Amino acid sequence: MSDVTIRDLTIEYSSGGYAVRPFDRFSLELRSGELVVLLGASGCGKTTLLSVLASLLTPTSGSVRVDDTEVTTLSGTALTEYRRRGVGVVFQGFNLIPSLTAAENIEIPMRVAGVSRSAAQARATELLVALDLADRSTHRPRQLSGGQQQRVAIARALAMDPPLIVADEPTASLDYLQAEGVITRLRLLAAPGRIVIIATHDERLLPLADRVVELTPRISPYDRPPERNTLDPGEYLFHQGDQGQLVYEVDEGVIEIVRHRMDGSEELLQVLEPGGYFGELSPMFGLPRAASARARETTVVTGYNLRDFRHRRGADLHTKDGALDN
């Protein structure tokens, strides 16, 4: 049995000195045998989450358990053992060693883990047959198609028969014919005793998934009615990293647009007085807010969905200079 439990996961890192928080108290439970697709736009945190599950990145806080193993606290020998036997990683760029054959690339993780040469060769042969690559065992990566290289990468991830497989954009660099073979094989990997988690923006994978976790919420930009807010001095309307559905217009008072740095300081990006507007990029493109909006004094703002705001402001929405306050 292999279950994954994520509780209150927070991940924060620096990007150009600014604080980026793709996950804030994120929770998720996955069950043995599931094929799970993490769906979302580039930059939403898919790869970051996979890196935490693979114990390649330590989160700011929270818990990640694979069966009885608390992944976030592993160190030393336990960490090495988990990376070798507990999780298999399929990288977007294949990450095969160019000088080695397909079989040798699959054997590498087993030899590092102490498996004998003969046993590693037998397991590599078994996996090559299972992935229809038996006639490519002596080929080097440059002699393989993109789809074949990705299947070798999948075989390598399976070498130690781990209970958890994470795959980062496994079809991103493949045409539809190559992608079909990879998608089919990923579906077959999810079986009792193993969970397969795929990060992608490729919606061809969705029909095969047992669960789809949307990390970029699909919010209609036209559903919300106007929303009027009165803010006290220093009160935040939204914070950097929040998802947003509305574009805001200042009716009374003053709004400050600020971006927070990792060192705890902040940068003042813009000051908006009555008639000014802000927050358009998040609902337009499904992006998290890139900055925070805070009242400098008692302030009244009204939020509009994109359709209503376009009716109010017309071309302004497309011609605003320096739209940093999304």
Side-chain angles (χ1 to χ4, degrees):
M1 183 175 181
S2 175
D3 295 337
V4 173
T5 303
I6 301 171
R7 285 279 182 270
D8 294 329
L9 185 71
T10 296
I11 302 172
E12 185 174 86
Y13 59 86
S14 175
S15 176
Y18 297 103
V20 177
R21 184 174 285 189
F23 294 97
D24 191 359
R25 299 182 68 81
F26 175 78
S27 295
L28 181 66
E29 290 190 7
L30 309 176
R31 294 290 174 252
S32 174
E34 288 187 324
L35 187 151
V36 181
V37 168
L38 305 178
L39 186 66
S42 297
C44 74
K46 301 187 301 295
T47 299
T48 299
L49 183 57
L50 292 190
S51 296
V52 171
L53 289 165
S55 198
L56 301 174
L57 176 68
T58 301
T60 306
S61 62
S63 170
V64 176
R65 297 188 69 84
V66 178
D67 281 343
D68 295 327
T69 300
E70 177 53 57
V71 175
T72 62
T73 62
L74 293 175
S75 62
T77 302
L79 175 58
T80 299
E81 188 68 7
Y82 174 76
R83 289 175 176 171
R84 287 178 178 174
R85 300 177 183 274
V87 60
V89 181
V90 181
F91 298 95
Q92 178 178 342
F94 315 140
N95 282 22
L96 301 178
I97 300 174
S99 61
L100 299 183
T101 66
E104 290 167 342
N105 268 283
I106 298 168
E107 292 167 24
I108 283 291
M110 293 183 280
R111 298 292 289 138
V112 170
V115 177
S116 69
R117 182 179 298 277
S118 59
Q121 290 174 340
R123 175 65 170 159
T125 299
E126 174 189 337
L127 290 167
L128 286 165
V129 170
L131 291 164
D132 295 330
L133 290 167
D135 60 343
R136 295 290 187 269
S137 63
T138 60
H139 288 60
R140 289 178 169 77
R142 66 177 180 275
Q143 299 171 302
L144 302 172
S145 69
Q148 289 168 341
Q149 290 186 63
Q150 192 62 290
R151 280 185 279 152
V152 172
I154 291 171
R156 181 183 57 191
L158 287 168
M160 299 299 295
D161 196 24
L164 174 63
I165 297 287
V166 296
D168 187 14
E169 298 283 6
T171 60
S173 56
L174 307 180
D175 62 36
Y176 73 95
L177 292 176
Q178 296 171 340
E180 182 179 357
V182 169
I183 289 170
T184 301
R185 284 162 178 82
L186 287 171
R187 172 63 267 182
L188 294 174
L189 297 183
R194 178 182 293 128
I195 296 175
V196 178
I197 304 175
I198 303 172
T200 189
H201 62 272
D202 187 347
E203 297 196 4
R204 292 176 295 186
L205 289 164
L206 300 188
L208 297 178
D210 297 305
R211 294 184 60 185
V212 176
V213 179
E214 296 196 36
L215 299 181
T216 305
R218 298 190 181 195
I219 301 169
S220 169
Y222 305 119
D223 287 346
R224 291 279 294 273
E227 182 179 286
R228 191 172 175 86
N229 295 272
T230 300
L231 307 172
D232 294 327
E235 184 178 353
Y236 283 86
L237 177 65
F238 56 73
H239 290 84
Q240 189 171 314
D242 289 350
Q243 293 292 331
Q245 300 181 46
L246 301 176
V247 186
Y248 292 93
E249 190 172 283
V250 181
D251 300 320
E252 303 172 22
V254 178
I255 285 286
E256 298 175 332
I257 305 299
V258 296
R259 186 169 288 164
H260 303 285
R261 299 189 179 97
M262 283 297 293
D263 62 7
S265 63
E266 64 181 37
E267 177 184 1
L268 179 63
L269 300 179
Q270 202 169 9
V271 176
L272 295 154
E273 298 181 342
Y277 70 89
F278 59 98
E280 66 273 19
L281 296 185
S282 191
M284 283 178 70
F285 299 109
L287 297 169
R289 302 287 189 186
S292 300
R294 181 178 64 205
R296 176 175 289 183
E297 57 191 53
T298 300
T299 300
V300 179
V301 299
T302 301
Y304 300 93
N305 65 48
L306 285 178
R307 179 183 55 211
D308 291 346
F309 189 79
R310 286 191 177 110
H311 288 163
R312 288 178 56 80
R313 303 296 290 253
D316 284 358
L317 189 58
H318 304 285
T319 59
K320 183 177 180 181
D321 293 330
L324 298 170
D325 50 316
N326 70 335

